[in-house]
């Protein structure tokens, strides 16, 4: 079993910054990737930023240059620094951990944290 504990999020004005953090615990011996997804009302969940165990990082085009994902392997923690926030960044943000065991991928999700960007 894998547990994900998220922190951060909240209400911020356009142009402001927020930092999200997610700590994974439990049976997490074979982490393939850690990252953040988001889902806005009426829209599908989308990938925001993902970092893999090989060190590669992928950002959604809409957040490139504004968001930074970081992973602390020793603590199985992944953070998302969000700068220059825009109203369109408003969404529930979910931490994701993907395990890869014998070629089989299993995804785990945090409970979600609300990010609201509004004047």
């Amino acid at each position: 079993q894998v547990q994900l504990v998220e922190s951060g999020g909240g209400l911020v004005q356009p142009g402001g910054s927020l930092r999200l953090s997610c700590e994974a615990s439990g049976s997490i011996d074979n982490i393939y990737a850690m990252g953040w997804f988001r889902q806005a009302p009426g829209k599908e969940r989308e990938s925001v930023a993902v970092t893999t165990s090989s060190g590669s990082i992928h950002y959604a085009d809409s957040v490139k240059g504004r968001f930074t994902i970081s992973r602390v392997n020793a603590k199985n923690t992944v953070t998302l620094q969000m700068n220059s926030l825009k109203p369109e960044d408003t969404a529930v943000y979910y931490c994701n951990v993907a395990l890869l065991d014998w070629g089989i991928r299993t995804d785990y999700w945090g409970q979600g944290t609300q990010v609201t960007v509004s004047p």
Side-chain angles (χ1 to χ4, degrees):
Q1 194 72 4
V2 175
Q3 295 82 39
L4 301 179
V5 178
E6 301 170 351
S7 61
L11 173 65
V12 66
Q13 293 184 344
S17 298
L18 284 174
R19 182 180 178 89
L20 306 181
S21 182
C22 174
E23 182 175 358
S25 61
S27 302
I28 49 175
D29 293 334
N30 301 308
I31 292 179
Y32 166 70
M34 298 183 76
W36 293 91
F37 289 67
R38 68 186 180 187
Q39 187 167 17
K43 295 187 177 181
E44 293 186 354
R45 189 173 298 188
E46 63 175 354
S47 175
V48 176
V50 176
T51 176
T52 69
S53 58
S54 65
S56 63
I57 294 176
H58 305 275
Y59 291 102
D61 288 342
S62 58
V63 307
K64 284 181 180 177
R66 300 187 298 121
F67 290 10
T68 303
I69 187 170
S70 300
R71 179 179 169 186
V72 181
N73 289 332
K75 296 183 178 182
N76 290 315
T77 297
V78 63
T79 62
L80 185 68
Q81 178 66 41
M82 304 184 292
N83 298 327
S84 302
L85 283 161
K86 304 175 181 179
E88 50 263 43
D89 295 317
T90 296
V92 178
Y93 284 69
Y94 296 91
C95 176
N96 168 266
V97 170
L99 304 185
L100 195 63
D101 195 8
W102 294 100
I104 299 175
R105 173 173 173 154
T106 305
D107 287 88
Y108 294 89
W109 299 91
Q111 77 279 7
T113 185
Q114 178 70 45
V115 171
T116 303
V117 185
S118 179

